[in-house]
Amino acid sequence: MFKETYGTTVNNYLISKRITRVKQLLRFTDMTVDEVGVAVGMGDANYLVGCSED
């Protein structure tokens, strides 16, 4: 049902929303990449970079 409504899986939808928030935080705050990763629930910079490469 979710995929038919949003055109993607729940996991991909959440990752997309997190990446959007990451971009906002990196652009408009002085937070480090590690701080942003933690703030959006992606752990550290390594996990964050891995998700953004998909």
Side-chain angles (χ1 to χ4, degrees):
M1 187 163 149
F2 186 92
K3 189 169 185 173
E4 288 123 9
T5 302
Y6 293 97
T8 189
T9 64
V10 172
N11 191 46
N12 285 342
Y13 177 82
L14 292 174
I15 289 172
S16 174
K17 291 296 182 185
R18 285 178 172 165
I19 293 297
T20 298
R21 184 66 179 141
V22 165
K23 290 177 183 178
Q24 292 171 337
L25 291 172
L26 288 173
R27 184 169 183 185
F28 298 112
T29 72
D30 61 353
M31 295 171 75
T32 67
V33 174
D34 281 327
E35 291 170 333
V36 169
V38 171
V40 299
M42 293 186 139
D44 61 19
N46 292 326
Y47 183 75
L48 179 62
V49 170
C51 287
S52 65
E53 290 177 348
D54 290 341

